[in-house]
Amino acid sequence: MSDKIVSLEEAVREIQNGDIVFIGGVLDSRVPMAAIYEMIRQGKKDLIGLSILALEDPAVGAGCISAFIGCYAWLGAFGKAPCIARKYENGELIIEDLGHNDSLLIYMSAFGLSSVASNYSIGSDLLNLKYSKLDKIREIARNKEKIPKVKYAKIEDPFFGGERVLLPTIKPDVAVIHVQQVGTEGTCRIFGVEGVDTLAAFAADKVIVTAEEIVPEDYLREDPNRNSIPCTQVDMIVEVPWGAHPSVVSHYYDLDIEFIIDYVKRASTQEDFEEWLEEWVFSVENHEGYLNKLGIERLESLRAVKGYGFRPRTWLRR
Amino acid sequence: MTEAVKAEEYTPLEAAVVYVARELKKYDGRSVITGIGLPVVASLLAKRLYAPKLKINIESGSFDIQLPEIPISLFGPRISYKCSAQLNNLHSLAGTARGDYDIGFIGGAQVDKYGNVNSTVIGDYLGGHKRLAGSGGAVDIGCFTNTIIIMPHRKERIVNFVDYITTPGWKCRKPFSDEIVDRQELGLPGGPIMIVTNLCIMRFDKESKEAYVDTIFPGVSKETIISNTGFDIDLSRARTGEPIQKIEIETLRKEVDPLNIYRLR
């Protein structure tokens, strides 16, 4: 058995205050929630989030994430993210706005590139440097040299003529990614929407993978084209079944809509949010406690149906 | 088959969806890039009635999606279910720059008469403001693609000029400056072709690049549009839309969104 396999607590200890953290999955899909709850238990501070900030909302409310460089900070169909909105309003969350492609092209650091020419924000105020907050974000970053000096730069294109916009890339200190299957050596298989987890895993200095299940490496290596992240990029492996609840995990379980609606309601004031945190994060002590509290009936009601990858809304409904 | 329904028998949102679906008729066999909500419902309705070969793509790296049921998550398994290929987000969203999509959909909190869309902040970014969701893929779509903008028709949302240009319309921001310039000057292809609200469809004048009312939904008065629009809106070209047909409402309610996930009714 590989020595990469560790406990959730050990893995999350690797994240340091002020780290630039890539949190995998997208919005409400395959978000490493168990790891996020553990970051809260360990009292992480001044983390800098990237690309999309959504179900990470409790980590913002608990003061773990205090800056964000990305394109979207909202809960999709569930509306305003309560803690993100409140912390931003209080000046406790700094946001640097990007478009979606640019918020992903920053991971071109994976290929050793320090910048890329990107035209994805032309005509937008995203290219108006007076709104940039990078200087403030640098203040809280542990590795200050990783935060670019300016948001964008204008250059003459010596190859094809005209003006181009240069976007600096960013190298995350750590990536935390939840996948469906990981091999004992770290090979990852993702089902459904990938986001840019593969790219980010190559860009980050350190990669923590939490998985629905740890499977034999050979099982995944029978069909290597289906694998998303090679074992060479993965530093730590944690088996965390239901580890992305309440987000959706393709082929494993569906979105827990009621849980999210209840969260949004209860997190609308800091006081009520802290009560929610006590109930769902601190008092349960660990992920097993969280699952016990959810209960087998609730979890089973979310389980994906084979052949669909999700649970059709009318499935087995009488 | 043609049997008109009276305006009181459907909701304004259902009307908006039907008119967008009709618009997509001319894109049969072509590709659209869309997001969750009304656009996905309209695209599905179009596929059933008017554009069976429409290719629907999502910024989640999902190509030619099938949508076995209306999704809540833009990045969940209902999106990737039996799509042609499930790659990463960049693969699909960079398709805007490749010119892969004939139409893109965007929403937001404000649209102005030039079709600029704001989904970042309401108010003064450097002073008092209220934060919104952010661009998501809107800027990436709106920079390169012809877009249909979907917006509730209210005075504070259909405005003279947006507080912050998230997605450029016809008169937008010169990069690295505060200056407003014509879209063409920036060499951007695409551009907004219509704004669809719960009251009407607006299009853009070829010369002035300003929005005018093109189609008023049946049962809506000009006064309602004027009093809910944040600028002096041109209604001189407005005509009442073709009545909504029974088959359109029935397909929408029985086949496309039977569980009323997006609360259109």
Side-chain angles (χ1 to χ4, degrees), chain A residues 104-243:
Chain A
L104 307 177
L105 287 169
I106 56 173
Y107 307 119
M108 285 299 163
S109 52
F111 300 122
L113 305 177
S114 58
S115 66
V116 288
S118 162
N119 289 341
Y120 286 110
S121 294
I122 290 183
S124 165
D125 273 323
L126 292 163
L127 270 183
N128 202 332
L129 296 185
K130 71 180 180 190
Y131 300 125
S132 176
K133 296 278 165 49
L134 286 180
D135 289 342
K136 280 193 163 171
I137 294 177
R138 195 177 306 104
E139 282 173 27
I140 67 164
R142 185 170 65 86
N143 288 314
K144 304 204 183 303
E145 73 286 356
K146 284 192 172 188
I147 304 295
K149 290 196 177 78
V150 284
K151 185 179 181 184
Y152 288 105
K154 184 165 60 174
I155 54 151
E156 285 290 319
D157 183 344
F159 307 111
F160 303 103
E163 275 182 357
R164 292 284 171 266
V165 175
L166 276 190
L167 166 78
T169 65
I170 294 178
K171 214 167 177 336
D173 293 301
V174 53
V176 186
I177 299 171
H178 186 77
V179 303
Q180 284 88 345
Q181 295 172 352
V182 65
T184 46
E185 301 296 322
T187 297
C188 295
R189 182 166 295 178
I190 291 172
F191 295 69
V193 171
E194 186 211 310
V196 280
D197 289 6
T198 298
L199 197 53
F202 277 93
D205 290 340
K206 197 178 295 170
V207 177
I208 298 170
V209 167
T210 66
E212 287 301 318
E213 45 185 340
I214 298 179
V215 299
E217 274 284 316
D218 280 354
Y219 171 70
L220 297 177
R221 289 179 187 222
E222 242 178 70
D223 189 3
N225 290 93
R226 264 289 284 118
N227 298 337
S228 312
I229 305 171
C231 65
T232 52
Q233 301 305 313
V234 174
D235 299 290
M236 306 181 104
I237 302 168
V238 193
E239 189 173 51
V240 196
W242 303 94

Side-chain angles (χ1 to χ4, degrees), chain A residues 28 88 97 100 125 254 313, chain B residues 59 70 73 125 129 173:
Chain A
D28 50 13
Y88 180 83
D97 290 293
H100 193 170
D125 273 323
D254 222 318
R313 296 194 183 97
Chain B
E59 65 188 271
I70 295 283
S73 168
Y125 195 111
H129 64 263
R173 200 74 71 191

Side-chain angles (χ1 to χ4, degrees), chain A residues 28-29 71-73 88 95 97 100-101 120 122-125 127-128 130-131 192-193 195 248 254 309 311 313, chain B residues 59 69-70 73 75 77-78 86 88-89 93-94 125 129 131 133 135-136 140 143 165-166 172-173 176-178:
Chain A
D28 50 13
S29 176
C71 69
Y72 188 86
Y88 180 83
I95 297 183
D97 290 293
H100 193 170
N101 276 337
Y120 286 110
I122 290 183
S124 165
D125 273 323
L127 270 183
N128 202 332
K130 71 180 180 190
Y131 300 125
V193 171
V248 51
D254 222 318
R311 193 168 193 88
R313 296 194 183 97
Chain B
E59 65 188 271
E69 55 183 33
I70 295 283
S73 168
F75 300 94
R78 287 167 184 80
Q86 177 56 62
N88 76 35
N89 293 10
L93 203 48
Y125 195 111
H129 64 263
R131 177 155 280 275
S135 162
D140 311 86
C143 268
I165 302 176
T166 309
C172 46
R173 200 74 71 191
F176 302 96
S177 80
D178 287 333

